[in-house]
Amino acid sequence: MSDENQQHAERMKKVKAARDKMMAKKTDKKGLIIVYTGDGKGKSTAGFGMIFRHIGHGIKCAIVQFIKGKWPSGERDMIKERFPDICPVHVMGEGFTWETQDKERDKEMAAAAWEKCKELVRDESNSMVLMDEINIALRYDYLDINDVVTFLRDEKPHMTHVVLTGRNAHPDLIEIADLVTEMKQVKHPFKSGIAAQVGVEY
Amino acid sequence: MSDENQQHAERMKKVKAARDKMMAKKTDKKGLIIVYTGDGKGKSTAGFGMIFRHIGHGIKCAIVQFIKGKWPSGERDMIKERFPDICPVHVMGEGFTWETQDKERDKEMAAAAWEKCKELVRDESNSMVLMDEINIALRYDYLDINDVVTFLRDEKPHMTHVVLTGRNAHPDLIEIADLVTEMKQVKHPFKSGIAAQVGVEY
């Protein structure tokens, strides 16, 4: 082994010892409240990615989509087709509010989607429930933030993970969450005139 | 329809018209250079999520992992098992550098992983190549940033998407990228003494 490599090995031994010591203190297990927010791309993608992590391990989970979106979603349709038993998908919303142009209907759909979320979370056979784009419904006051926060804090089974996505996450939600990532937009292809593309946007 | 709903509908009609006009200008299609970076959770998860988007549409893609990680990865193993033809997975790295403690070996593995990346990108039957945690290899100078940037800029086929993940993305990489999201850590469960959990961290 070269001198440089030897020094590197010594340094890394110390780094590893410090990390192992730090990780040894992290022994608690609990169901997490996970929030992916921000104006950048990757929020729903990461939410679905975490669902695939569950599916990969064969652990039961479920998805409620508050906004259906305009395009056929590759990963959603694949889950519906290939893994309907391990991860039922409930598409409860329609388009974005500027697509539907019907606030009363949007509110009814959001309320129904939230009822479905509660039912799925209360069912302890689900290890994770993804509430995709729920932050949009909260932002437009289609749902009451207090209802959501109170339910997650007081009624969510201890070991159940919930993932809430969408930009502009409410501060009260961030307050009770265990894991929050803000996806910050640094560059977006739409800005350079690039269209939405299959396998990227949907 | 109530007055309020009527007003909302009028407003949303204008929003939609503005959006449609904006989106109509976005007609270009091209293979994107996508970077997920930052200190928050969700980078690899979003990278894998985008791969699942491809798999869902039945479009060929591939994964090179520069770091294997400590735990069995649910989504990686599921792809290997269920979708080996549509998305081959190449695990080319071992642990993080403080796990392997062997810089020379780490460099060799990174170089081999990069050769595999180039081979997969040059093969135009692949619509997307995920280079998971390549930013770590670049950060430690296991790979030359100029080699990577030059290849992506000059040799990547026009319609091929590449996704590069890992914290501390190099500024030169961000410069040539089309889509960059910085995953910013707002809250992390490790900080509250929570262990890595199946279906969440791996």
Side-chain angles (χ1 to χ4, degrees):
Chain A
M1 211 183 249
S2 70
D3 276 4
E4 194 211 333
N5 209 28
Q6 189 60 49
Q7 283 164 18
H8 173 85
E10 291 300 328
R11 237 181 7 253
M12 289 304 126
K13 240 175 233 161
K14 283 180 198 152
V15 172
K16 180 170 161 55
R19 277 192 70 90
D20 287 350
K21 199 173 155 191
M22 180 186 81
M23 293 304 288
K25 287 188 197 143
K26 303 179 192 322
T27 51
D28 281 4
K29 305 229 159 189
K30 69 177 249 198
L32 303 177
I33 299 174
I34 298 168
V35 176
Y36 288 130
T37 192
D39 62 352
K41 280 182 70 67
K43 301 181 290 291
S44 292
T45 322
F48 272 86
M50 213 163 257
I51 284 288
F52 278 110
R53 200 159 278 174
H54 262 69
I55 293 175
H57 287 293
I59 309 172
K60 247 187 128 264
C61 50
I63 299 170
V64 176
Q65 277 197 304
F66 280 75
I67 289 174
K68 186 183 176 185
K70 215 167 160 174
W71 301 290
S73 153
E75 69 275 44
R76 180 184 67 209
D77 296 346
M78 194 249 278
I79 295 172
K80 284 176 107 162
E81 208 175 292
R82 308 284 287 252
F83 308 106
D85 298 328
I86 196 160
C87 183
V89 182
H90 304 272
V91 182
M92 310 286 291
E94 292 174 310
F96 283 95
T97 186
W98 57 81
E99 295 284 347
T100 61
Q101 300 171 12
D102 185 342
K103 191 175 183 175
E104 281 163 17
R105 190 163 161 72
D106 285 349
K107 278 184 99 155
E108 279 165 28
M109 309 259 320
W114 174 239
E115 285 307 311
K116 178 54 78 178
C117 286
K118 288 195 284 188
E119 181 194 319
L120 292 165
V121 170
R122 284 183 182 125
D123 175 355
E124 297 198 31
S125 70
N126 289 316
S127 163
M128 175 177 278
V129 178
L130 168 60
M131 306 176 185
D132 188 41
E133 300 286 13
I134 188 174
N135 289 337
I136 306 280
L138 286 164
R139 192 202 175 181
Y140 286 104
D141 284 324
Y142 293 170
L143 293 180
D144 184 341
I145 181 69
N146 293 320
D147 288 351
V148 173
V149 164
T150 307
F151 175 81
L152 292 178
R153 200 187 46 209
D154 301 341
E155 285 196 60
K156 183 184 79 59
H158 185 64
M159 290 310 293
T160 306
H161 306 290
V162 291
V163 184
L164 304 97
T165 76
R167 53 175 73 195
N168 301 107
H170 196 286
D172 294 357
L173 179 62
I174 290 175
E175 175 71 30
I176 62 156
D178 303 288
L179 190 171
V180 181
T181 302
E182 181 197 349
M183 272 71 168
K184 263 192 72 178
Q185 177 178 306
V186 180
K187 272 189 177 181
H188 196 300
F190 287 178
K191 295 222 166 129
S192 323
I194 306 292
Q197 297 182 93
V198 61
V200 178
E201 266 77 21
Y202 59 97
Chain B
M1 213 184 249
S2 71
D3 276 4
E4 193 210 336
N5 209 27
Q6 188 62 49
Q7 282 163 19
H8 172 84
E10 292 298 329
R11 233 176 17 248
M12 287 306 127
K13 239 175 236 163
K14 283 180 199 153
V15 173
K16 181 171 159 54
R19 277 191 70 88
D20 287 350
K21 198 171 155 192
M22 180 185 79
M23 292 306 286
K25 287 188 199 144
K26 301 179 194 325
T27 50
D28 280 3
K29 305 229 161 189
K30 68 177 247 198
L32 302 178
I33 299 174
I34 298 168
V35 176
Y36 289 129
T37 191
D39 62 353
K41 279 181 69 66
K43 300 181 289 292
S44 291
T45 322
F48 272 86
M50 213 162 257
I51 285 288
F52 278 111
R53 200 159 279 172
H54 262 69
I55 293 175
H57 288 293
I59 309 172
K60 246 186 128 261
C61 50
I63 299 170
V64 176
Q65 276 198 305
F66 280 75
I67 290 174
K68 186 184 176 184
K70 215 167 159 176
W71 301 290
S73 155
E75 70 275 43
R76 180 185 65 209
D77 295 348
M78 193 249 279
I79 295 172
K80 284 176 105 162
E81 207 175 291
R82 307 285 287 254
F83 308 105
D85 298 328
I86 195 159
C87 183
V89 182
H90 304 273
V91 182
M92 309 287 292
E94 293 176 309
F96 284 94
T97 185
W98 56 82
E99 296 285 346
T100 61
Q101 300 170 13
D102 186 340
K103 192 175 180 174
E104 280 163 17
R105 191 164 159 72
D106 286 348
K107 279 184 96 155
E108 279 164 28
M109 310 258 323
W114 174 238
E115 286 306 311
K116 178 55 79 179
C117 287
K118 288 195 284 188
E119 179 194 320
L120 292 165
V121 170
R122 284 183 182 128
D123 175 354
E124 297 198 30
S125 72
N126 289 316
S127 163
M128 176 177 278
V129 178
L130 167 60
M131 305 176 186
D132 189 41
E133 301 287 13
I134 188 174
N135 290 336
I136 307 282
L138 286 164
R139 190 200 177 182
Y140 286 104
D141 286 324
Y142 293 171
L143 294 180
D144 184 341
I145 181 69
N146 293 320
D147 288 351
V148 173
V149 164
T150 306
F151 175 81
L152 293 178
R153 201 188 44 209
D154 301 340
E155 285 196 59
K156 184 183 80 58
H158 185 65
M159 291 310 295
T160 306
H161 306 290
V162 291
V163 185
L164 304 98
T165 76
R167 55 175 71 196
N168 300 107
H170 196 286
D172 294 356
L173 179 62
I174 291 175
E175 175 70 30
I176 62 156
D178 303 288
L179 190 169
V180 181
T181 302
E182 182 196 349
M183 272 68 170
K184 262 191 73 178
Q185 178 178 305
V186 180
K187 273 188 177 181
H188 196 299
F190 285 179
K191 296 223 165 125
S192 322
I194 307 292
Q197 297 181 92
V198 61
V200 178
E201 266 78 20
Y202 59 96

